[in-house]
Amino acid sequence: MYNEERKVFAAFYEQPKTMLMVAKETNIERGNICYYVGRWKKRNMIWIHEYDTCPISKHEGVQFLTTNPNNSDNDDLTLF
């Protein structure tokens, strides 16, 4: 993993977040984050924690993702 990819992975590991939240937090372009998430999906390295309203965009039904399987309040993390 490259340094930028590690920053994104760590951001999702801290707590479940949307891709936009991670982009704002890390100053990494959302397109790059989408690319990393796509790679991790194929390797079962990222899960959907929940669908909720994004605190930044205010869009409803947005995926909150996590790279930490222990970060779930429930035991039902969803693999893509």
Side-chain angles (χ1 to χ4, degrees):
M1 250 188 245
Y2 294 104
N3 193 32
E4 183 178 89
E5 188 175 359
R6 287 178 191 200
K7 284 183 185 177
V8 174
F9 191 90
F12 282 120
Y13 194 88
E14 289 173 8
Q15 70 181 55
K17 297 174 186 169
T18 68
M19 286 191 264
L20 181 57
M21 291 168 67
V22 172
K24 295 282 187 184
E25 177 184 322
T26 61
N27 291 322
I28 294 171
E29 290 189 28
R30 215 159 109 190
N32 292 5
I33 293 169
C34 290
Y35 175 76
Y36 301 140
V37 167
R39 284 178 44 171
W40 300 336
K41 282 181 190 180
K42 291 176 184 177
R43 298 177 183 158
N44 295 326
M45 295 172 61
I46 192 164
W47 299 269
I48 300 169
H49 174 73
E50 66 181 338
Y51 291 88
D52 204 350
T53 302
C54 177
I56 298 171
S57 70
K58 307 301 184 210
H59 285 99
E60 296 178 4
V62 177
Q63 294 177 349
F64 280 71
L65 305 172
T66 184
T67 53
N68 181 352
N70 298 319
N71 241 351
S72 178
D73 292 337
N74 59 33
D75 294 329
D76 298 327
L77 288 178
T78 304
L79 287 173
F80 288 91

